[in-house]
Amino acid sequence: MTEKIKKRRITAKDKKLREDIKSDLLLQLEDMETRGTFFEDMVEDYMSFWDVKNDLIYDIKTRGVVNIWKNSESQYGYKKNDSVSELVRVNAQMLKILHQLNIKTDLQADDDGDY
């Protein structure tokens, strides 16, 4: 028995955030005078991973970190939600893309030392 996975509903807010992130990445590349189709394609790859990341987070929120499996009345158990480990992999790949683009993700400290 397989559980049907609900599709994440993409809102106008989600679309705006996606466009803002993409614009920020392209602006950082422009500020570094990094231009070209190759770099724009890498930003598109990053945004594709961003979409996948949000779908994985939605799946974890809706189904939880552990799912029940059931083959019959007497055969059932629990298994981990594969979205958890996939989320870690997707985040790692997103960071690798940022590194390849030489985009810094460091947080800057405020004057009073708070972050």
Side-chain angles (χ1 to χ4, degrees), residues 86-100:
E86 290 303 313
L87 179 60
V88 173
R89 288 187 182 115
V90 167
N91 278 329
Q93 193 61 38
M94 291 173 73
L95 288 172
K96 287 178 186 176
I97 291 172
L98 292 178
H99 184 263
Q100 284 297 114

Side-chain angles (χ1 to χ4, degrees), residues 66-107:
V66 177
N67 303 128
I68 298 173
W69 62 267
K70 185 174 183 179
N71 290 339
S72 68
E73 287 300 319
S74 62
Q75 256 189 333
Y76 62 92
Y78 296 93
K79 74 173 224 122
K80 67 178 180 139
N81 184 344
D82 291 335
S83 293
V84 175
S85 58
E86 290 303 313
L87 179 60
V88 173
R89 288 187 182 115
V90 167
N91 278 329
Q93 193 61 38
M94 291 173 73
L95 288 172
K96 287 178 186 176
I97 291 172
L98 292 178
H99 184 263
Q100 284 297 114
L101 292 172
N102 201 27
I103 293 178
K104 304 296 181 212
T105 58
D106 298 335
L107 294 174

